[in-house]
Amino acid sequence: MNSSKSSTVATPLAQSRVAERVRTGYRTKTRTALAAHGQPYVWLAGGMLALSLAMILGLLTLILVRGTGTFWPAPVIQVEMVDGRIHMGEITRHSSYVPREELLLALPAQAMGAARALLAAQDGVSERFLIRTGNFELTQEHFNWVSDFAINSTSYPQWALLFERQEWGRFYGMPEAFLIDGERVATTPAEVWGKLNEHHRDVRRRWQERRALETHEIGKINYALEQARLQVRGAELAVEAAEGRDGKGSPAQQKALLHLGAAQAGLAQLSVEADAEYGRLRGEINRINQENARFEILVTTADGRERALPLAQIVRAYTPNQLSLGEKFGIYFDRWLEFLRDDPREANSEGGVFPAIFGTVVMTLIMSICVVPFGVLAALYLREYAKAGPMISTVRIAVNNLAGVPSIVFGVFGLGFFCYLMGGTIDQLFYSAKLPSPTFGTGGILWASLTLALLTLPVVIVATEESLAAVPSSMREGSYACGASKWQTIRRIVLPRAMPGIMTGMILAMARGAGEVAPLMLVGAVKLAPELPVDGYAPFVHLERSFMHLGFHIFDLGFQSQNSEAAVPMVFSTTLLLVAIIALLNIGAILLRNRLRRKFMTSQF
Amino acid sequence: MQLNQTQVTTNGSPELLKKRSMDGRLKAIAAGEWFEPAVHPDLKQQDVVLEITGFNLWYGAAQALFDISMTIPKGKVTALIGPSGCGKSTLLRSVNRLNDLVDSVRISGDMKLNQDSIYARGVDVIELRKRMGMVAQKSNPFPMSIYENVIYPLRIDGVRDKAMLDEVCEKSLRGAALWDEVKDRLQQSALGLSGGQQQRLCVARAIAAEPEMLLMDEPCSALDPIATSKIEDLIDQLRGEYTILIVTHNMQQAARVSDNTAFMYLGQLVEYSPTRTLFQKPQLTETEDYISGRFG
C-alpha cells in the first residue's frame, strides 16, 4: 500500500486504479489483443507480397504464352461472305462488338434478315475475326476483319497452301500448277505439292549461294577497293600536309607525291582486277538467277486470281490444313530456329533477330567489362582510402543520385561526349582519310557500351562499397598485424572476400544495362544493321559499327512497323527472347558468384 | 513490499559497505586521481623485450591510458588483467600500432621493441608489425586455404621459394599444435575449421615469420573449455621460445599460463608482479579484492 500513498494524484478514481494495478500486477490480462499478435499485419504484408508476385507472374505468363504462340502454324480458313467476297487466311484474333446500323444496311437485301436474326439471338453483339489474308501485292491488305453476321459459309480447304516469302509477306492460295520453264509439269494439287518439295530445297540452296556471293565475295572486293581508296586519300592528305609545312618542291613533298603515285597505281590496278572479278561474279549470279527462274508455282487465290510465285522467293511453304501434330511441331521449331539464326526481313516483321541478339550480348559484355573495374576502383577509393568527411558524403550522395538520372540524359551525354567529342577526335587523328564520313564520330557499339557503363556505374559502386564495408574489420586487422600494407590487405584479403558482392553489383548492372533502350537510340542502336560488330575482316572486331539491340527491336516492331498486326506477335516473341537472354546472362554471373562464394565465404560456427 | 525489501538489500547490505571501504584507491582512480603503480622489484632487472614509458592514449577527448610504464621480459608470458574497459586491449594494440587505424586516436609517450622506438617519427609501421605476431580475440582466418593462411606473412614479403614456404607452413602448424589435425587438408579453406582450430591457425600464422614478440588479445574468450585448454597448453609450449603478452578476462587463465601479471584499472596500471606473488600475496589490497572477486 506504500505505492498508493506516494501517489501524488489523490482523486478516488486514480487511487482505485493504482490499487487495482498493485493487486493484479501490471502484466496480467486474460487474452492478448489481436493487434498485439499482429495477425492482421502479417496478412497485410503477406498479401502485398502475393500481389507483387501475382503481377510478376502475370507479366511473365503473358509474355510466355503470347511469345511462344507466335510461331505455331494455324489452320487456314476460307470464309465466304454474304456479299460474295471470299477471304482465305489464318485467324489471328477475335473480339466482340456491337455493329452499327450502317453495317447491316450495307449488307445485300437477301442476307439482311438472317443477319438481324443472328444478332438478335446474340443480344445485338457480334463476334468478329481478324483474318490474316496476306497476298499484299494483289489486295493491298495484310489483314481483314470479318463479322459473324456477314459470313455466308466457312471451310478449311484441304489443299490451301501457305507461303512465307522473301518479300511481300505471306501468300495464301490453292496450287494450280507447277511450272518449269513456263511449262505445266504438274496440275493436280498433290502433284504440284510433290514437285514443290522436290525442287524447293535445291532452289533455295542456290539462292543462298547467290546471296553469299553478293554479300561476301562482292563485299570483299568492295572492302579491298575501299582500303585502296583510303590509302590514296591518305597519301593526298600527306602531300597537302608536306606542302603546307615545307612548301612545294621540298624533298618531303616529293616523297609524299611518290607515295601518292604508288597508291594511285595500286588503286588503278586493283580497279582493273576488281572489274574482272565483278564480271565473273555477275556471270555466276546471273547463271544462278536464270536457273532459279525456271521454277515457279502457279497459285490461285481465294477470289480466283492466279499468280506465279518464283520458287526462289519462297522461304517456307506448307499445307496448313493437312498437318499432323509432328509436322506442326516441325514447322514451329523451324520457325524458332529461323527467328534465332537469321537476319530480319520485311522491315523486321519477319525472319530472324540474330543481329539483335548478337548486338545485345556483345554490348552487355563490353559494358560489364568497362563498368566493373571503374566502379570497383571508385568504390575502393571511397571506402578504403578517402578520409570520411563532408566531401566524401557529398560524393556518395552524388553517386547515389546518379542512379536516378533518367537514362535518356545519359544518352544525350553519350552522344555529345563519346560520339562527337571523343569519336570526332579519334576520327581526326586516325581516320582522317575517310572524313567527312565519320568512323568513330557517330553512334556505335563501343559508345553505346560506354554510355551504359556510365549509367550502371552507380549500381556497381554502391554494391561494391557495401560489400567492402561488410568485410569484417577483424580480418583487415589480422592482415595489418601480419605486416601487410594497406594495398596488400585490399588485394589479398578485402577484394577476394568482397568479390561475391562485387559480382552482385555486376549482375544488377547487367540486368539494368541489357534492358535499357532509350539512351541506345542516340548512341548507336539502329533498326537494321546486318553487319555484325565482329566478323571476318581485319581487325575482326569493329567497335565503331552501329548495331541492333533486342530492346530497340521491340520498340521498332511495336511502334514503327508498317504491318503492325503481323508485328505484334513478333513483339512478344522478341520480348520473351530478351527476357530469356537477360536471365541467361544473369544465371551465368550468378553461377560464377556462387563459385567465388564457396571459395571465399565457407564458414562454420 | 517485495520491491522495497530488495531495495534495502542492495542499498545497505553490510557486506557491500565493507567492500566499498576496501577499494579506496580504485574509487580514487575512478574519480580521476593518478597513482604510482606497484611494480615488483624482480621485474625491474630482467632481460627486456618491450619497454613502455609514460604512455598515454586518447580516443578523441576521452583518455583511455594514463601514463603507463612497464617492461615486458624476454621469453616470458606476461598477462594483462583488469575489468572490461580498463584499457588492456588498447595497450596491447598500441604495441603493434593497430590503434593507428582508428582516426581519433592520439598518443604520447613511447614504447621500445628491443631498443627500437615504436612511436618515433619516421618509423615504418609495416616493418614494425612484421616483428610482432598477433592473435585476436575472435579468430580471424583469411578467406583462403589453410596453407596460404599460415604463410601469409611470407607471401606479403614476396617469398616464392616453394620448399621454404612448405617448411615454414609445417613448422608453424606444428608449433601451433595443429599439424596433425590439418596436414591432409592444407589446401582446403581455413574457414571450414572449428573455432578452436581457427584460433590455433591464427597462432600458427602469428609465429610463421618468427616474431620477436607475440601479442594475444583474449585468445580464448570465444572458445569452449576444451579448445581453451588446448590454447593454454600451446601458450605453455611457446613459453621460453617466444615473448608473449596476453590480455585475458579470465583470472584463472592468467594464473595458469603467465609468469608475470599486470593488473590494470580504468586506464592505469595498478600492480605489476610475478604471477605467483600477485595472486598469493599482492602488494595492494585493491588487487586482492579484484582477484578474489570482491570487486569488479
Side-chain angles (χ1 to χ4, degrees):
Chain A
M1 300 308 104
N2 231 349
S3 329
S4 61
K5 233 183 262 171
S6 66
S7 167
T8 50
V9 188
T11 63
L13 180 67
Q15 261 182 356
S16 75
R17 253 197 212 149
V18 171
E20 177 90 354
R21 272 193 196 157
V22 170
R23 204 166 48 242
T24 60
Y26 283 92
R27 307 214 54 171
T28 36
K29 254 192 173 181
T30 49
R31 283 190 60 182
T32 313
L34 191 61
H37 273 305
Q39 217 72 346
Y41 307 108
V42 176
W43 279 102
L44 188 69
M48 287 300 143
L49 178 65
L51 191 69
S52 321
L53 283 180
M55 287 195 291
I56 293 168
L57 285 179
L59 179 69
L60 285 181
T61 314
L62 176 77
I63 293 172
L64 198 67
V65 170
R66 300 283 310 260
T68 48
T70 307
F71 299 123
W72 188 253
V76 165
I77 191 171
Q78 181 167 324
V79 181
E80 239 174 279
M81 310 297 291
V82 288
D83 57 5
R85 285 182 300 148
I86 302 176
H87 296 302
M88 187 160 82
E90 296 162 281
I91 295 179
T92 51
R93 61 192 170 101
H94 56 94
S95 64
S96 302
Y97 78 119
V98 178
R100 281 169 296 134
E101 187 62 22
E102 297 96 294
L103 281 175
L104 290 173
L105 290 175
L107 292 174
Q110 71 275 17
M112 198 144 12
R116 284 196 191 282
L118 182 78
L119 279 179
Q122 294 171 354
D123 295 332
V125 179
S126 164
E127 187 80 4
R128 60 177 178 174
F129 304 91
L130 184 66
I131 300 185
R132 182 171 192 175
T133 51
N135 308 2
F136 185 75
E137 72 270 39
L138 297 177
T139 60
Q140 308 303 313
E141 281 169 330
H142 285 292
F143 289 85
N144 274 294
W145 280 106
V146 299
S147 302
D148 55 359
F149 59 81
I151 293 174
N152 196 9
S153 70
T154 60
S155 62
Y156 291 92
Q158 192 197 4
W159 280 108
L161 282 184
L162 189 157
F163 300 95
E164 287 171 35
R165 295 178 298 172
Q166 203 63 39
E167 282 162 1
W168 298 110
R170 294 185 182 179
F171 196 93
Y172 299 89
M174 311 289 288
E176 185 67 35
F178 193 82
L179 307 178
I180 298 182
D181 297 327
E183 278 185 45
R184 300 182 172 227
V185 295
T187 45
T188 66
E191 276 175 17
V192 172
W193 178 236
K195 284 279 177 200
L196 178 67
N197 283 332
E198 188 187 324
H199 293 290
H200 184 236
R201 190 180 295 264
D202 289 340
V203 171
R204 277 303 277 182
R205 192 180 41 74
R206 279 197 290 272
W207 184 87
Q208 302 274 12
E209 257 171 45
R210 193 202 85 190
R211 207 168 71 148
L213 285 181
E214 279 173 355
T215 52
H216 290 120
E217 300 300 317
I218 294 183
K220 232 183 256 172
I221 300 171
N222 285 343
Y223 181 78
L225 274 179
E226 179 65 17
Q227 292 302 312
R229 236 174 256 133
L230 286 178
Q231 269 182 4
V232 171
R233 177 77 188 126
E236 278 172 13
L237 287 176
V239 172
E240 275 171 34
E243 264 181 32
R245 200 172 54 239
D246 303 334
K248 252 186 183 151
S250 65
Q253 194 239 8
Q254 294 298 328
K255 205 175 158 201
L257 271 177
L258 225 61
H259 273 294
L260 177 60
Q264 279 167 336
L267 176 62
Q269 202 203 337
L270 200 66
S271 301
V272 175
E273 284 171 20
D275 280 344
E277 187 69 9
Y278 269 138
R280 192 182 68 74
L281 289 173
R282 283 230 181 77
E284 185 87 349
I285 289 168
N286 280 339
R287 192 185 60 71
I288 292 175
N289 278 350
Q290 272 167 14
E291 180 67 19
N292 272 354
R294 290 172 58 212
F295 301 96
E296 284 180 315
I297 182 169
L298 199 62
V299 186
T300 327
T301 63
D303 47 4
R305 281 187 272 188
E306 270 192 359
R307 185 160 171 81
L309 302 175
L311 240 57
Q313 286 295 309
I314 298 171
V315 176
R316 185 184 294 108
Y318 61 93
T319 52
N321 295 339
Q322 289 186 34
L323 294 176
S324 68
L325 191 66
E327 286 167 335
K328 281 187 184 176
F329 270 108
I331 289 168
Y332 181 71
F333 286 117
D334 191 43
R335 279 176 169 171
W336 263 111
L337 221 58
E338 184 197 357
F339 183 63
L340 295 178
R341 285 197 318 198
D342 280 9
D343 286 350
R345 329 177 240 118
E346 291 288 294
N348 292 352
S349 66
E350 303 257 338
V353 290
F354 180 71
I357 298 175
F358 195 83
T360 308
V361 172
V362 168
M363 188 208 70
T364 310
L365 292 182
I366 297 177
M367 179 202 80
S368 308
I369 292 168
C370 294
V371 71
V372 170
F374 255 99
V376 168
L377 288 177
L380 264 184
Y381 190 83
L382 273 180
R383 176 63 61 179
E384 301 285 332
Y385 285 102
K387 220 175 168 67
M391 183 69 188
I392 285 307
S393 303
T394 316
V395 169
R396 198 165 282 146
I397 291 169
V399 166
N400 286 335
N401 283 337
L402 211 58
V405 172
S407 54
I408 191 76
V409 175
F410 283 98
V412 175
F413 174 79
L415 183 68
F417 181 72
F418 291 129
C419 300
Y420 293 159
L421 188 67
M422 285 180 71
T425 314
I426 291 174
D427 276 1
Q428 270 174 7
L429 292 178
F430 303 108
Y431 296 92
S432 52
K434 234 180 183 176
L435 284 174
S437 71
T439 309
F440 274 97
T442 180
I445 194 162
L446 178 65
W447 301 143
S449 303
L450 288 180
T451 305
L452 285 195
L454 211 60
L455 177 83
T456 51
L457 193 61
V459 179
V460 177
I461 292 181
V462 169
T464 307
E465 264 209 88
E466 269 167 21
S467 68
L468 289 178
V471 176
S473 60
S474 68
M475 235 176 232
R476 294 162 200 260
E477 282 181 1
S479 174
Y480 290 135
C482 286
S485 66
K486 186 151 197 163
W487 172 244
Q488 284 170 323
T489 303
I490 289 173
R491 202 180 75 74
R492 291 174 181 271
I493 308 292
V494 177
L495 272 185
R497 173 70 199 235
M499 200 47 90
I502 294 171
M503 293 294 293
T504 305
M506 191 179 102
I507 291 166
L508 290 174
M510 275 167 65
R512 169 120 203 252
E516 197 61 71
V517 177
L520 296 183
M521 296 201 221
L522 302 180
V523 289
V526 292
K527 189 181 164 72
L528 186 66
E531 283 189 315
L532 299 179
V534 178
D535 65 15
Y537 299 117
F540 307 114
V541 182
H542 307 272
L543 293 178
E544 80 283 3
R545 283 189 186 163
S546 51
F547 64 106
M548 289 179 75
H549 185 272
L550 280 172
F552 182 69
H553 195 76
I554 292 168
F555 169 76
D556 180 62
L557 276 176
F559 300 98
Q560 312 279 301
S561 181
Q562 304 270 330
N563 185 1
S564 62
E565 281 291 352
V568 164
M570 295 290 277
V571 168
F572 282 103
S573 296
T574 314
T575 309
L576 180 66
L577 188 65
L578 178 59
V579 171
I581 284 176
I582 295 175
L584 276 181
L585 285 172
N586 281 350
I587 287 171
I590 287 169
L591 288 180
L592 193 64
R593 180 183 65 182
N594 288 354
R595 273 189 55 175
L596 290 175
R597 195 174 272 166
R598 264 205 300 285
K599 196 166 163 200
F600 295 123
M601 304 264 264
T602 339
S603 179
Q604 59 176 56
F605 273 104
Chain B
M1 288 327 216
Q2 190 71 38
L3 248 161
N4 280 347
Q5 233 155 26
T6 30
Q7 236 173 3
V8 171
T9 343
T10 44
N11 278 339
S13 94
E15 265 179 82
L16 200 83
L17 288 173
K18 183 177 158 215
K19 194 173 169 186
R20 285 235 176 107
S21 67
M22 290 180 71
D23 56 18
R25 187 194 282 223
L26 300 185
K27 267 256 172 193
I29 287 176
E33 276 180 68
W34 191 83
F35 290 93
E36 187 69 36
V39 178
H40 197 277
D42 286 1
L43 290 168
K44 289 175 179 164
Q45 298 116 28
Q46 293 201 357
D47 196 0
V48 170
V49 168
L50 181 74
E51 187 182 0
I52 305 171
T53 39
F55 194 79
N56 292 287
L57 184 141
W58 294 262
Y59 288 115
Q63 190 163 5
L65 293 176
F66 295 85
D67 206 359
I68 307 270
S69 295
M70 63 190 288
T71 55
I72 311 296
K74 188 179 174 113
K76 296 277 166 54
V77 179
T78 305
L80 293 174
I81 62 169
S84 294
C86 72
K88 51 195 191 306
S89 284
T90 302
L91 182 63
L92 187 86
R93 290 160 55 88
S94 299
V95 177
N96 64 354
R97 291 188 62 170
L98 270 188
N99 281 329
D100 289 12
L101 302 176
V102 184
D103 282 342
S104 60
V105 160
R106 277 183 306 126
I107 62 112
S108 73
D110 196 9
M111 300 189 183
K112 281 198 172 72
L113 179 68
N114 287 329
Q115 312 305 318
D116 301 328
S117 170
I118 292 176
Y119 279 94
R121 197 178 287 271
V123 168
D124 185 341
V125 181
I126 291 170
E127 286 307 313
L128 174 84
R129 288 188 188 133
K130 285 178 183 168
R131 297 168 63 182
M132 294 179 251
M134 187 179 201
V135 180
Q137 185 169 359
K138 190 173 167 292
S139 62
N140 53 359
F142 301 140
M144 43 179 87
S145 69
I146 294 171
Y147 181 83
E148 286 294 328
N149 255 286
V150 176
I151 59 162
Y152 184 78
L154 280 78
R155 276 267 186 252
I156 57 177
D157 285 349
V159 177
R160 286 172 182 279
D161 178 0
K162 180 84 172 97
M164 181 179 172
L165 292 175
D166 287 348
E167 187 193 321
V168 167
C169 178
E170 179 171 348
K171 201 175 116 221
S172 308
L173 283 171
R174 279 190 196 283
L178 191 61
W179 175 253
D180 292 330
E181 288 163 63
V182 301
K183 65 182 173 204
D184 299 324
R185 47 172 174 152
L186 289 177
Q187 296 308 326
Q188 287 177 23
S189 170
L191 300 168
L193 297 173
S194 74
Q197 288 174 326
Q198 287 190 358
Q199 195 61 299
R200 276 179 284 150
L201 180 68
C202 293
V203 175
R205 187 175 70 201
I207 61 177
E210 302 198 314
E212 291 162 45
M213 191 174 179
L214 261 184
L215 308 171
M216 296 185 167
D217 190 357
E218 300 190 34
C220 304
S221 66
L223 300 181
D224 63 68
I226 294 170
T228 302
S229 77
K230 281 191 177 163
I231 297 279
E232 286 180 10
D233 290 348
L234 176 58
I235 294 171
D236 213 41
Q237 283 170 32
L238 297 173
R239 189 196 312 274
E241 202 175 339
Y242 292 97
T243 306
I244 299 177
L245 182 59
I246 178 171
V247 164
T248 175
H249 235 88
N250 181 332
M251 280 173 287
Q252 283 74 36
Q253 186 173 65
R256 283 195 297 267
V257 303
S258 68
D259 302 305
N260 303 310
T261 303
F263 170 48
M264 291 179 68
Y265 185 70
L266 290 182
Q268 295 193 21
L269 181 63
V270 179
E271 179 166 351
Y272 182 32
S273 301
T275 301
R276 188 163 303 177
T277 317
L278 189 115
F279 279 89
Q280 287 171 0
K281 312 190 291 260
Q283 300 169 55
L284 301 172
T285 49
E286 289 84 355
T287 312
E288 194 180 351
D289 284 349
Y290 180 73
I291 58 178
S292 59
R294 264 174 289 178
F295 176 81

